Amino acid sequence: DQQVKQNSPSLSVQEGRISILNCDYTNSMFDYFLWYKKYPAEGPTFLISISSIKDKNEDGRFTVFLNKSAKHLSLHIVPSQPGDSAVYFCAASTGGNKLVFGAGTILRVKS
Amino acid sequence: NAGVTQTPKFQVLKTGQSMTLQCAQDMNHEYMSWYRQDPGMGLRLIHYSVGAGITDQGEVPNGYNVSRSTTEDFPLRLLSAAPSQTSVYFCASSRGISQIQPQHFGDGTRLSIL
């Protein structure tokens, strides 16, 4: 019973183009969402977050969109760079620091 | 600026053995947690702590014990290792417990149980 789902195991994008990573959730009590990036042999690093009271949050090349009615969020990376190649995890919380993670999406940015 | 330090990085155990995975943070964070990462399942919360002397169970606590005697350290103990505990283990910490704060992760311990 996965409450947070990342249905695309992998995504390949050309350098300079937009990368869109998707995440769906089932628990309507989730009120905070985060994206983490993970390189091989390293721990996940925080990328960007969004509260359920917002529908968009932007930080440089990274933008997260939240559609509460559809229980869907997405991470947009524009423009994509080869250094963005990593595993991206979507995570959600009902409050506090207990996170529920998705299975991750492997992003490959081709130069 | 060490952040979250996990030791060892790799470990191979035999079924039934016990061991302790170490985790230390130097950021004076109140909140610490342990996750395991398995293929196709993302990270799952094992145990967490909101401060010294306070621990609680996460999503998959069976077979693991934790304690938090100091703010800095949060060891994870495997009581009797089983092949199902083969995984990559991540420790994380964050400041504050009443609201979401981004968690800082260690680089993980890759554990194999034979």
Side-chain angles (χ1 to χ4, degrees), chain A residues 32 36 38 43-44 89 93 96-97 102, chain B residues 31 42 90 96 100-101 103 106-107:
Chain A
Y32 203 85
Y36 282 83
K38 184 184 180 303
F89 291 99
S93 171
N97 283 304
Chain B
Y31 184 90
F90 290 100
I100 293 288
Q101 298 287 341
Q103 296 191 30
D107 286 339

Side-chain angles (χ1 to χ4, degrees), chain A residues 78-100:
Chain A
V78 184
S80 301
Q81 300 174 353
D84 296 329
S85 297
V87 180
Y88 288 79
F89 291 99
C90 170
S93 171
T94 57
N97 283 304
K98 292 173 65 176
L99 298 180
V100 179

Side-chain angles (χ1 to χ4, degrees), chain B residues 8-29:
Chain B
K9 292 190 184 304
F10 304 94
Q11 184 70 48
V12 179
L13 293 178
K14 295 181 179 178
T15 297
Q17 286 185 314
S18 63
M19 84 160 291
T20 299
L21 279 62
Q22 302 292 344
C23 175
Q25 53 93 6
D26 61 0
M27 297 172 283
N28 201 32
H29 285 169

Side-chain angles (χ1 to χ4, degrees), chain A residues 3-80:
Chain A
Q3 299 184 69
V4 177
K5 298 178 183 179
Q6 294 178 254
N7 292 317
S8 298
S10 64
L11 174 68
S12 186
V13 171
Q14 198 67 36
E15 181 180 6
R17 305 295 293 268
I18 185 171
S19 296
I20 300 176
L21 295 96
N22 294 304
C23 179
D24 297 295
Y25 61 95
T26 57
N27 188 345
S28 58
M29 299 301 291
F30 286 142
D31 61 2
Y32 203 85
F33 304 89
L34 307 91
W35 285 93
Y36 282 83
K37 178 169 76 172
K38 184 184 180 303
Y39 293 118
E42 295 183 8
T45 55
F46 170 73
L47 196 55
I48 193 169
S49 62
I50 188 167
S51 164
S52 61
I53 63 173
K54 295 184 176 182
D55 55 17
K56 177 183 175 181
N57 189 27
E58 194 171 354
D59 184 1
R61 296 186 297 115
F62 303 92
T63 303
V64 55
F65 296 92
L66 176 62
N67 182 334
K68 283 177 291 186
S69 61
K71 294 190 177 67
H72 177 83
L73 66 155
S74 61
L75 174 68
H76 292 211
I77 306 173
V78 184
S80 301

